[in-house]
Amino acid sequence: MSVLVVDDHPIVLQGCRRVLEDAGVETVHEATGIAAGYRRFRRHRPEIVVADLTFQGAALSGLALIRRIRSVAPGTRILVFSMHDDPEIAARALESGAAGYVLKDTASSELHLAFERVRDGGTYVAPSLAAEVARLRCEAPAGPPLTPRERQILERLGAGRSHGAIAEELGLSYKTIANACTQLRRKLGARTLADLIRIALREATRAS
């Protein structure tokens, strides 16, 4: 597995590299700006990108990088590593195509956890932001009623489980879970898996 880290702070790059290597990543590419990050992405095609949102002289330009990467490689997993603890910004990052959002003032263990969740096909939102992000952006449209099995899967998506983890917990195949998520997206009007996860987060928040 290879990962690209895009951040303009050398200390952050160094810290991310250490966490990623501890997580078993074999190859870590680095870039210190949006243009360089996109060039490195096109050259190396890493499976995962860890990116900041704000770069010198270009506020929140990381959002454009996320959208651009997702437009040419929809399967790329993107984890945002940001200083912004604003739930609106976090929601915008998820809407742009990020699978995770973690704060820079967090412990390295949380970055490690967020990376593993995103790597394994799940999602991660910093706990301090998750409920507010759900409240702001998780308004699910009315649709057909969900089956008990679909509700089980939706609840687990909201808890950050990957497709593989859900399959194991429910004693089903990975393909069955993937197909069920596709059906859930149709029922709930979610365009992407990230949209579906945000709906799951909202439902979890309502239930708590």
Side-chain angles (χ1 to χ4, degrees):
M1 172 172 284
S2 65
V3 177
L4 169 64
V5 182
V6 187
D7 197 291
D8 57 1
H9 293 86
I11 294 177
V12 173
L13 290 173
Q14 183 180 16
C16 282
R17 175 180 286 276
R18 187 180 305 114
V19 170
L20 293 172
E21 290 175 347
D22 287 346
V25 176
E26 297 177 355
T27 305
V28 180
H29 305 286
E30 297 177 353
T32 58
I34 296 298
Y38 186 69
R39 286 196 301 269
R40 282 190 172 268
F41 175 78
R42 294 300 297 265
R43 179 179 179 182
H44 299 290
R45 291 290 177 150
E47 291 90 343
I48 300 176
V49 175
V50 179
D52 194 359
L53 292 182
T54 303
F55 294 81
Q56 189 171 9
L60 297 181
S61 57
L63 293 174
L65 177 65
I66 292 169
R67 289 191 290 267
R68 195 172 184 188
I69 288 174
R70 293 279 295 173
S71 70
V72 298
T76 302
R77 308 289 293 167
I78 301 175
L79 172 63
V80 171
F81 190 39
S82 173
M83 66 178 181
H84 295 291
D85 60 356
D86 184 337
E88 180 69 27
I89 293 175
R92 287 176 62 187
L94 295 174
E95 289 167 1
S96 296
Y101 193 97
V102 66
L103 299 173
K104 284 187 174 181
D105 62 359
T106 190
S108 60
S109 58
E110 188 176 341
L111 176 59
H112 190 137
L113 174 62
F115 171 76
E116 288 187 333
R117 288 270 183 87
V118 169
R119 178 197 64 191
D120 295 341
T123 188
Y124 187 91
V125 178
S128 61
L129 298 177
E132 187 65 13
V133 168
R135 188 185 70 80
L136 288 171
R137 296 298 185 187
C138 296
E139 205 55 52
L146 303 184
T147 66
R149 177 69 76 195
E150 287 171 339
R151 290 204 170 276
Q152 286 181 318
I153 293 171
L154 192 65
E155 287 171 3
R156 284 162 173 77
L157 284 173
R161 303 287 199 281
S162 66
H163 285 17
I166 296 172
E168 183 175 352
E169 287 181 17
L170 298 181
L172 301 171
S173 70
Y174 182 96
K175 185 176 181 180
T176 296
I177 299 302
N179 288 340
C181 287
T182 299
Q183 181 65 20
L184 279 167
R185 284 168 54 186
R186 283 197 291 265
K187 281 189 174 185
L188 298 175
R191 292 181 302 168
T192 65
L193 178 59
D195 290 337
L196 181 60
I197 289 167
R198 287 196 291 275
I199 292 171
L201 283 170
R202 186 221 40 211
E203 295 298 323
T205 302
R206 280 182 173 178
S208 60

